[in-house]
Amino acid sequence: MMATALAGLPEKVSIYEVGPRDGLQNEKAVVPAGVKAEFVTRLADAGLRTIETTSFVHPKWVPQLADAEELLSVLPRSPELRYPVLVPNERGLERALANGVTEIAIFGSATETFARRNLNRTVDESIAMFAPVVDRALAEGLWVRAYVSMVCGDPWEGDVPVEQVVSVASRMMDLGCSQLSLGDTIGVGTPGRVTALIEALGATGVGTERLAVHFHDTYGQALANTLAALRAGVTVVDASAGGLGGCPFAESATGNLPTEDLVWMLDGLGIDTGVDLAKLVATSRWMAGHLGRPSPSRVVQALSPGSETS
Ligand code: HMG
Ligand code: MG
């Protein structure tokens, strides 16, 4: 299909791939570190340049990612590949630094309930936990991203007001983070809400050059929300190969925006991502084989006649 441009969109979009971390963290059966390493390597070979690989969180909280050290020790390094990891606290940062990490992400919540369930902290306590992490990371020359979860709604608290999200996000960015990723963790958002949130953040000084968007496809809104964010000026989009994902601490969270669905839309709009869709689809089909079920991505399914798991 010929690409057809649409006015008001960026020429280039950077995809921040979260499959190995956000995608796999919810899988019950532990995926061996060797398979994870091959997953990351294949994603890089498909043209993804930023791949969130794992988390330095408590291994009892996320057993799937307890092999963070082992995984990082076998991943191929190259100056053009960025491998950010999730770090919640100083203990996590120690582990990350000991393993040669140069990019980290702290992850806060716009709501009190999810902060407690995900971090065992109130919102205030979690920001107090992040502050020394960011200070030390910056002193060590690391790049730091801040995630804010539940930016459109929360399974326990319902709708989350824009001002509440802006307040938590500003406090996290004030710690000194370079990028803010807006997480619609349970996928309830719609394009008007996304646009309003981006505008409200801009009005408080967090402009689109520092924003990324992180959508889940629970209600089928992830691509519509992405398009709204691109129109508002965002150029970094989080996605998960094959649509893997969910969140072990938020039951109504289903898969992330599938990277393939995103690339299909951006290819169709003539927007450069550097990603080879055929290689990416082959990677997700291979991973689906390891996980024992087909990928939920519509594009992976459409480009996999016959069988998705071969
Ligand atoms: P806690 O139980 O309050 O921990 O958990 P603590 O600070 O009381 O420490 C207890 C023990 O854990 C201590 O050991 C620490 O050393 C150890 P002890 O002295 O008793 O022997 N410990 C650690 N060990 C290894 N690595 C660490 C670590 N930290 C403490 N980093 C904690 C607090 C933050 C650690 C815990 O709640 C945790 O690990 N949470 C992470 C949960 C998680 O990863 N959730 C999924 C993230 S996905 C998300 O947030 C959404 C996102 O994807 C965006 C979206 O989708 O919208 C980003
Ligand atoms: Mg996610």
Side-chain angles (χ1 to χ4, degrees):
M1 193 186 69
M2 278 267 294
T4 309
L6 189 60
L9 297 178
E11 278 175 17
K12 200 173 173 334
V13 162
S14 301
I15 300 180
Y16 184 106
E17 170 62 45
V18 298
R21 192 283 301 173
D22 202 0
L24 292 184
Q25 73 181 6
N26 207 35
E27 291 294 326
K28 295 272 177 297
V30 172
V31 177
V35 173
K36 289 174 180 158
E38 189 173 345
F39 188 33
V40 174
T41 307
R42 290 180 68 141
L43 292 169
D45 187 50
L48 290 155
R49 288 292 161 263
T50 304
I51 305 171
E52 196 170 80
T53 47
T54 187
S55 300
F56 285 94
V57 297
H58 197 295
K60 284 202 187 118
W61 281 65
V62 186
Q64 180 64 257
L65 304 182
D67 60 0
E69 279 85 355
E70 186 187 353
L71 175 62
L72 287 185
S73 74
V74 297
L75 283 183
R77 306 286 174 140
S78 121
E80 58 176 15
L81 286 177
R82 302 169 64 205
Y83 293 144
V85 300
L86 253 55
V87 166
N89 57 12
E90 290 178 279
R91 172 86 183 94
L93 183 62
E94 286 295 341
R95 293 174 58 206
L97 288 169
N99 286 277
V101 164
T102 55
E103 332 234 356
I104 66 162
I106 55 171
F107 50 106
S109 168
T111 66
E112 290 293 345
T113 314
F114 188 60
R116 283 192 182 280
R117 287 181 176 251
N118 202 36
L119 296 161
N120 199 23
R121 301 283 185 280
T122 63
V123 169
D124 283 353
E125 287 165 353
S126 55
I127 291 173
M129 175 170 77
F130 299 142
V133 174
V134 179
D135 280 351
R136 167 103 193 267
L138 295 179
E140 300 275 353
L142 270 55
W143 178 89
V144 184
R145 155 184 267 220
Y147 278 102
V148 179
S149 299
M150 305 298 175
V151 301
C152 295
D154 171 286
W156 305 277
E157 299 185 21
D159 188 42
V160 181
V162 166
E163 311 78 62
Q164 188 174 324
V165 180
V166 171
S167 159
V168 174
S170 309
R171 290 172 71 190
M172 290 183 71
M173 290 305 278
D174 286 347
L175 298 176
C177 302
S178 297
Q179 187 175 76
L180 172 67
S181 176
L182 299 171
D184 181 11
T185 316
I186 57 168
V188 291
T190 43
R193 165 62 194 244
V194 168
T195 307
L197 179 57
I198 293 169
E199 283 172 358
L201 282 163
T204 63
V206 184
T208 50
E209 72 289 349
R210 290 198 283 163
L211 287 186
V213 286
H214 182 112
F215 295 120
H216 284 245
D217 209 24
T218 322
Y219 291 83
Q221 304 300 301
L223 273 183
N225 288 340
T226 301
L227 190 60
L230 298 180
R231 282 203 148 128
V234 172
T235 59
V236 181
V237 180
D238 298 4
S240 174
L244 295 173
C247 179
F249 307 102
E251 270 145 38
S252 47
T254 59
N256 289 76
L257 167 63
T259 314
E260 290 84 355
D261 297 19
L262 174 64
V263 171
W264 180 272
M265 180 177 81
L266 296 177
D267 280 354
L269 288 163
I271 297 174
D272 179 25
T273 63
V275 174
D276 179 326
L277 185 58
K279 282 187 176 177
L280 187 57
V281 168
T283 300
S284 289
R285 292 177 66 189
W286 164 83
M287 196 39 147
H290 277 285
L291 299 175
R293 57 172 197 281
S295 159
S297 159
R298 302 294 288 268
V299 171
V300 172
Q301 290 170 18
L303 297 179
S304 306
S307 149
E308 283 97 55
T309 54
S310 61

